[in-house]
Amino acid sequence: MAFENERQFPDVQGSEWYALPVNYLARRQVLGGKEDGKFHPEDPVTRAEFLKLLALVSGKKINSQRLQGKFSDVDNNAWYAEYVYWSVKEKIANGVGDNRFAPNSPISRQEIAVLLWRYNKNAMGRVLPKNRTMNFRDASSCAGWAAKEVAKVSGAGLLSGYEDRTFRPWGKATRAEAAQIIYNYLGSYQKFEQGCNIDDLRYIMHGGGQTGQFLVSNSLQAMEESYGWGNRMIEVDFSWTADQQLACVHGWGGEYPPYSTLSQFMQTKIFGSLTPMNLDTLAAWMRSHPEVRVIPDFKERNTEGLRMISVRYPDLIERFLPYIYSIREYDSVKNLGFRNIFLILYRMPAAEKRDPSQVMAFAKEKDLAGVAIAPFQEREYFAAAQKAGIPLLCYVVDKLDWMVDMARQGADGYFTDRQNVRIQW
């Protein structure tokens, strides 16, 4: 498979958050660079440029008919004239008053929300998916004509807020942001069945799964190999980089790359030969593999990492199935919008996990997706899980005879490195 982040512009580095959507759309000839061959990601995007993006991703034939005199500032011979008139015909865009369209004016984030909502409803005849309710700190500053659309588009995961929980409706959107928004929109209509059942939980690939002789690489090759074997539930480790970004790596140093910035990490090779991944490259991979779900294992600052996922990728939030490492984490993780949550015991305070029946009562009350245990250290949990009716997952189990033995005791599934080890249930 051709990876989604092959570089298309000299000023779009692979480590930047916008590299994936920009390169993806460029290869599909939806967007291009400027006259100097560069993309200029931080430049503002204009009203006309954004309408062109919508027109190209619609897949519709754009009627070249001009509406002479409709807008005094739209020259019939301008490159954008056909996109302006297409948007008017499709009831996506209007003028700005005084017989003007303002095609070259920078577009605001709330204007994008309105245009995208109208495009989806009027041009494509679709209903936006609703993933969550966004509570932006500056929601009251939205214009009255945009408030509803901002709520719907952000709730569908198409237009994210910032890490300070603001939306900044009057802010001018950049070319990079426009690429991300269109990319999000395309991904939002990849159908995916949500929720967990026991069959989903039988085998969860640990650390991406094995590739060659390598275990716990969290690499692109491991993800592809796990997928090739038919696995659709994959655990991925996350560690914080020196510049406070998320790298898919089990830890720093030793056999893994040294502690570094994200850019430096992405220039290394895992175990000397494997392609590293980060949150953004993983999200792109998930979009191209829409039936896969990922269990993120944060080595520290779990809630903070999950918050970053929820802010950057609200459209994927249903496909991330997070751990909580303590009962006390549940409310904060649930409030971020995650639905299927696992309780894992390996970092749980001893006082919390002392009584298996109480832990399972909590799991049942909160309708957790499952509880993960170290089976040789926490055998007392088998009976408690069966009594409570909570799926019990054992980690990390790579031997067939161990799987058989644990299934007899009541295990419902395994975290495993081996893609091809299976038992008869």
Side-chain angles (χ1 to χ4, degrees), residues 217-400:
S217 70
N218 296 281
S219 64
L220 172 63
Q221 289 85 349
M223 301 292 286
E224 290 287 2
E225 191 158 338
S226 290
Y227 185 85
W229 279 100
N231 296 290
R232 300 297 182 261
M233 295 279 281
I234 305 176
E235 183 204 56
V236 175
D237 297 310
F238 283 101
S239 294
W240 291 92
T241 64
D243 53 346
Q244 303 305 300
Q245 299 300 313
L246 289 172
C248 298
V249 64
H250 187 268
W252 299 110
E255 58 186 348
Y256 296 107
Y259 184 58
S260 64
T261 66
L262 183 64
S263 176
Q264 292 167 335
F265 170 75
M266 294 303 291
Q267 294 172 29
T268 67
K269 293 293 184 181
I270 307 297
F271 301 135
S273 61
L274 303 178
T275 304
M277 300 188 75
N278 59 42
L279 174 58
D280 298 325
T281 57
L282 174 64
W285 189 87
M286 290 171 68
R287 287 201 175 103
S288 63
H289 299 76
E291 65 273 40
V292 171
R293 282 173 280 188
V294 168
I295 300 174
D297 185 2
F298 289 94
K299 299 310 174 186
E300 58 180 347
R301 295 156 55 192
N302 180 50
T303 303
E304 188 175 342
L306 293 172
R307 182 176 294 110
M308 183 176 287
I309 289 175
S310 71
V311 168
R312 287 192 184 177
Y313 297 105
D315 60 307
L316 296 178
I317 197 167
E318 292 280 1
R319 292 174 52 200
F320 281 100
L321 283 59
Y323 289 134
I324 55 173
Y325 303 91
S326 165
I327 288 172
R328 293 190 300 270
E329 286 187 311
Y330 174 79
D331 286 338
S332 57
V333 171
K334 185 71 173 180
N335 289 339
L336 290 173
F338 294 95
R339 185 170 66 157
N340 295 305
I341 298 172
F342 293 95
L343 175 63
I344 189 166
L345 271 58
Y346 82 92
R347 280 164 36 196
M348 192 175 186
E352 280 192 11
K353 65 180 179 180
R354 186 175 295 122
D355 186 340
S357 61
Q358 287 186 2
V359 172
M360 289 303 171
F362 169 82
K364 186 172 184 177
E365 176 192 352
K366 302 301 183 183
D367 195 25
L368 298 186
V371 174
I373 68 166
F376 298 112
Q377 289 78 38
E378 292 149 350
R379 288 183 178 274
E380 65 273 17
Y381 274 84
F382 285 106
Q386 285 187 309
K387 184 176 181 180
I390 297 297
L392 190 72
L393 312 175
C394 298
Y395 60 82
V396 171
V397 185
D398 290 340
K399 294 185 177 180
L400 189 64

Side-chain angles (χ1 to χ4, degrees), residues 9 132 139 263:
F9 303 104
R132 59 188 302 201
S263 176

Side-chain angles (χ1 to χ4, degrees), residues 95-110:
V96 296
D98 297 327
N99 200 36
R100 296 174 56 252
F101 189 83
N104 295 314
S105 294
I107 192 169
S108 69
R109 288 168 53 80
Q110 63 185 352

